[in-house]
Amino acid sequence: MKTVAIVVFPDFLMLDMSGPAETFTVANRYLPADERYRIVLVSTGELDVQASNGIRVKADTTILDTTEPFDFLLVVGGPGAYSGAHPNLCTWLRDMSGRVGRLVSVCTGAFLLGGAGLLDGHRVTTHWSYTERLAQAYPKAKVEQNQIFINDEQGLVSSGGITAGIDLALSLIESDHGRQVALQVAKVLLVVMRRQGGQVQFSPLHAEVNTDESPIAKVQRYVLDNLHEDFTVERLADLAAMSQRHFARSFVQEVKMTPMEFVRAARVDSARKMLENSALPLKTIAYQSGFANSRQMRQQFNDKLGVTPAQYRRQFG
């Protein structure tokens, strides 16, 4: 029997905890008694812990009362994970890291592992809206934005946001007991074994444009309002009344992507909105978003999102 310790704290995200817990519990239906998973809920203080949605759970033990070695030590996320310091928990995580089979983080639980110094040198992910913040906070970690979950094969497993904890748990079950058991669990939970595409299909491809009147912001707004035009760096630099070299350098510094990457991302995002909210033919969407044709739109969707426009429409339309 493998023990899964799930660490909770005030203001944790309920689904980060319950998603993996239910996944492992459903797996127990298909496993012999001596191979099942045992769930242990570990709190950072009082046994009674309130989640961010107001629901209270009762932990089995606390970090002060357990030094038991665990097969999986899973740290959940939530506002409480990144909104303050957790010195006692970070110390406990460091002490426990050598006594567990695998460290696991769900969503923003990665910030707690980072605070304990356990992300250095590891590939890791978190919710797409927090990956940049995680990378800035822990520069020695190899933060990846587009992964649903990552098993870095060095004892650290991490997942993207919220429901990705279910994907992560399925992958651990598959590793422990094979694909057929994991597939049975996925069917019970009404989820797929492997999602198409990564987290990026849920996130905007370009950041909000600044409201200031800087030359770069003006160019961004012009692009968004005129996606049907043919754009080159030379053309965009002219719009900014800057030299190409200075414009390209300034654009990357301000926007964190090249001018042409911004144009491509803006076109994909425009097409995404139409796929989500209209029944327009793909050719029409391609034209209105500034693509040369539907084939080019399909290629850039695959490159950016890992899915085709038709697949994206089926998922989000």
Side-chain angles (χ1 to χ4, degrees):
M1 179 172 283
K2 289 193 172 184
T3 302
V4 181
I6 302 179
V7 180
V8 294
F9 42 82
D11 222 15
F12 75 95
L13 197 68
M14 178 66 75
L15 194 53
D16 283 4
M17 179 273 289
S18 61
E22 291 293 350
T23 306
F24 287 117
T25 301
V26 170
N28 286 343
R29 303 180 190 179
Y30 305 98
L31 299 172
D34 61 346
E35 295 182 15
R36 292 173 183 166
Y37 295 98
R38 180 172 70 99
I39 308 296
V40 176
L41 206 59
V42 183
S43 79
T44 57
E46 299 295 327
L47 292 179
D48 183 76
V49 187
Q50 184 170 326
S52 59
N53 61 6
I55 296 175
R56 292 183 175 276
V57 300
K58 186 173 182 180
D60 299 295
T61 186
T62 75
I63 60 173
L64 299 177
D65 299 321
T66 183
T67 57
E68 175 186 352
F70 303 113
D71 295 284
F72 301 126
L73 179 54
L74 189 153
V75 185
V76 302
Y82 52 81
S83 60
H86 298 269
N88 293 337
L89 174 57
C90 289
T91 298
W92 183 78
L93 289 171
R94 279 193 298 272
D95 292 342
M96 292 294 294
S97 62
R99 308 185 61 201
V100 299
R102 273 177 282 190
L103 285 169
V104 182
S105 68
V106 175
C107 195
T108 51
F111 283 87
L112 296 171
L113 294 185
L118 300 174
L119 296 184
D120 293 358
H122 289 279
R123 293 175 59 227
V124 63
T125 194
T126 186
H127 191 284
W128 59 264
S129 62
Y130 290 91
T131 50
E132 185 174 345
R133 179 174 171 179
L134 185 68
Q136 291 175 348
Y138 307 107
K140 293 182 180 179
K142 302 171 183 177
V143 180
E144 299 183 18
Q145 180 182 23
N146 192 34
Q147 302 299 318
I148 299 295
F149 64 86
I150 292 176
N151 186 339
D152 81 339
E153 304 298 340
Q154 299 181 55
L156 178 69
V157 188
S158 58
S159 81
I162 313 175
T163 60
I166 296 173
D167 300 73
L168 179 150
L170 284 171
S171 76
L172 295 175
I173 293 166
E174 182 178 12
S175 177
D176 286 345
H177 302 289
R179 177 175 174 78
Q180 286 305 310
V181 172
L183 185 58
Q184 290 293 335
V185 176
K187 288 179 178 179
V188 171
L189 297 176
L190 296 180
V191 298
V192 296
M193 276 288 290
R194 292 285 184 272
R195 298 198 208 193
Q196 293 178 319
Q199 284 200 83
V200 73
Q201 64 187 299
F202 301 93
S203 66
L205 292 179
H206 62 81
E208 292 293 325
V209 178
N210 290 333
T211 57
D212 60 33
E213 292 301 314
S214 71
I216 300 300
K218 288 181 180 179
V219 169
Q220 288 179 280
R221 286 195 289 271
Y222 185 90
V223 169
L224 294 174
D225 291 339
N226 300 275
L227 288 173
H228 61 281
E229 292 189 17
D230 290 330
F231 291 113
T232 63
V233 176
E234 180 179 9
R235 164 78 170 129
L236 297 175
D238 287 344
L239 289 170
M242 300 166 68
S243 70
Q244 287 188 52
R245 180 176 296 181
H246 181 50
F247 170 76
R249 183 169 57 249
S250 299
F251 197 98
V252 170
Q253 288 175 347
E254 188 169 321
V255 185
K256 309 305 180 188
M257 62 177 67
T258 70
M260 296 313 296
E261 285 174 340
F262 176 82
V263 171
R264 289 190 288 269
R267 285 176 171 153
V268 170
D269 269 349
S270 172
R272 288 166 70 176
K273 291 175 184 176
M274 282 186 270
L275 289 166
E276 292 169 6
N277 299 300
S278 78
L280 291 172
L282 295 184
K283 288 183 179 180
T284 303
I285 291 175
Y287 173 76
Q288 293 187 6
S289 299
F291 295 104
N293 49 53
S294 57
R295 184 184 300 110
Q296 185 189 63
M297 181 172 72
R298 179 187 175 95
Q299 180 180 347
Q300 292 198 19
F301 254 73
N302 265 324
D303 291 344
K304 291 285 187 181
L305 307 182
V307 294
T308 67
Q311 290 169 332
Y312 187 88
R313 171 171 268 170
R314 284 196 293 271
Q315 291 183 147
F316 298 102

